[in-house]
């Protein structure tokens, strides 16, 4: 959620290109050596990244990696349209401060929003798994610039939150993290791991899309 230019997704499939990136140990913990079997879904509201993300998605599919990226789409708790604020002039950082929050140097646009709770319930939790697959795992990155607590709180209230094995994100306050820990203490059944992590490594790096040479 908040995929920017898709670097975190690419770290999953090509970890050798992102040596020592903090998130790699989480991928290893959850997916072991089966990362190429993982389906990845990205959501990015900023239309500045549309073309690059579409090229990246195409690259992944050609490599056999199951990747789908919803471009110009804001993660929310309702379907509809929302006001989004881009960050012109900060292209060197891929407009990493673009968000649903207004700012002095930001530009207002309107983009579609997606009810992420209903989407996860209908598309992820109700998906058909291959027969014999008893180790399916779900991982989420939350980096939606200050809207994270609202979305995660509604995931909890909907009952969807506890179906996710691991969630990591940057914009999580101590109050929110402690509140979730208290909720989990008394639920005794919710095993979701919530990790505060800001892995901005390689965030400016647009590595070339290199296809393996075919052999005959």
């Amino acid at each position: 959620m908040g995929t920017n230019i898709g670097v975190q997704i690419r770290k999953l499939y090509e970890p050798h290109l992102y040596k020592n990136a903090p998130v790699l140990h989480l991928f290893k913990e959850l997916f072991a050596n089966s990362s190429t079997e993982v389906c990845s879904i990205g959501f990015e509201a900023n239309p500045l990244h549309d073309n690059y993300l579409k090229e990246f998605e195409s690259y992944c599919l050609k490599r056999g990696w199951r990747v789908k990226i919803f471009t110009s789409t804001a993660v929310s708790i309702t379907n509809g349209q929302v006001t989004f604020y881009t960050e012109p002039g900060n292209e060197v950082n891929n407009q990493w401060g673009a968000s649903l929050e207004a700012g002095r140097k930001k530009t207002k646009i309107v983009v579609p929003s997606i009810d992420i709770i209903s989407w996860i319930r209908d598309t992820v939790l109700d998906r058909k798994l291959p027969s014999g697959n008893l180790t399916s795992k779900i991982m989420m990155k939350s980096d939606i610039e200050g809207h994270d607590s609202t979305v995660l709180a509604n995931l909890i209230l909907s009952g969807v939150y506890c179906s996710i094995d691991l969630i990591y994100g940057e914009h999580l306050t101590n109050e929110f993290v402690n509140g979730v820990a208290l909720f989990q203490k008394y639920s005794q059944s919710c095993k979701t791991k919530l990790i505060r992590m800001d892995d901005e490594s390689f965030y400016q790096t647009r590595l070339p899309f290199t296809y393996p040479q075919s052999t005959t």
Side-chain angles (χ1 to χ4, degrees):
M1 302 194 301
T3 201
N4 199 259
I5 62 169
V7 173
Q8 298 298 84
I9 293 176
R10 195 168 182 185
K11 287 175 183 176
L12 172 67
Y13 298 107
E14 298 184 285
H16 60 283
L17 299 177
Y18 303 97
K19 188 176 181 180
N20 298 322
V23 74
L24 296 184
H25 82 276
L26 296 182
F27 292 152
K28 187 76 171 179
E29 173 187 333
L30 210 63
F31 304 123
N33 295 317
S34 302
S35 61
T36 56
E37 300 177 17
V38 177
C39 298
S40 296
I41 311 296
F43 299 90
E44 175 54 48
N46 195 338
L48 171 72
H49 305 314
D50 283 6
N51 291 337
Y52 184 82
L53 287 172
K54 289 173 183 176
E55 184 181 1
F56 173 55
E57 178 185 281
S58 176
Y59 165 73
C60 291
L61 295 175
K62 289 176 181 177
R63 292 291 305 268
W65 305 324
R66 289 165 288 190
V67 173
K68 169 64 180 176
I69 300 178
F70 290 82
T71 55
S72 293
T73 303
V75 170
S76 184
I77 56 175
T78 59
N79 291 318
Q81 292 188 318
V82 295
T83 300
F84 184 78
Y85 297 89
T86 61
E87 197 180 23
N90 195 19
E91 284 70 30
V92 67
N93 291 313
N94 296 313
Q95 292 195 9
W96 61 358
S99 69
L100 297 177
E101 299 178 355
R104 185 168 58 88
K105 296 183 179 181
K106 293 184 176 181
T107 298
K108 182 171 69 173
I109 62 172
V110 176
V111 297
S113 66
I114 189 167
D115 175 359
I116 196 65
I117 298 163
S118 297
W119 187 90
I120 292 173
R121 183 185 290 119
D122 296 342
T123 307
V124 180
L125 301 187
D126 288 346
R127 72 197 187 284
K128 184 177 181 180
L129 297 173
S131 59
N133 187 339
L134 303 178
T135 59
S136 175
K137 300 290 185 179
I138 302 173
M139 180 178 186
M140 173 187 287
K141 169 207 165 191
S142 183
D143 188 4
I144 44 180
E145 303 298 330
H147 198 49
D148 306 72
S149 296
T150 297
V151 169
L152 294 180
N154 279 273
L155 283 171
I156 292 172
L157 293 172
S158 70
V160 170
Y161 180 93
C162 295
S163 300
I164 302 169
D165 296 281
L166 187 151
I167 299 171
Y168 74 97
E170 171 188 359
H171 306 284
L172 303 172
T173 64
N174 288 333
E175 179 185 37
F176 184 81
V177 171
N178 293 337
V180 171
L182 187 65
F183 156 73
Q184 289 187 283
K185 174 183 176 181
Y186 288 106
S187 76
Q188 298 184 352
S189 61
C190 185
K191 305 303 181 183
T192 302
K193 184 180 290 188
L194 180 64
I195 297 175
R196 184 159 28 192
M197 174 184 285
D198 180 20
D199 181 1
E200 300 290 358
S201 61
F202 302 93
Y203 76 94
Q204 293 175 310
T205 306
R206 301 192 182 208
L207 296 171
F209 299 134
T210 305
Y211 298 90
Q213 293 184 344
S214 59
T215 58
T216 58

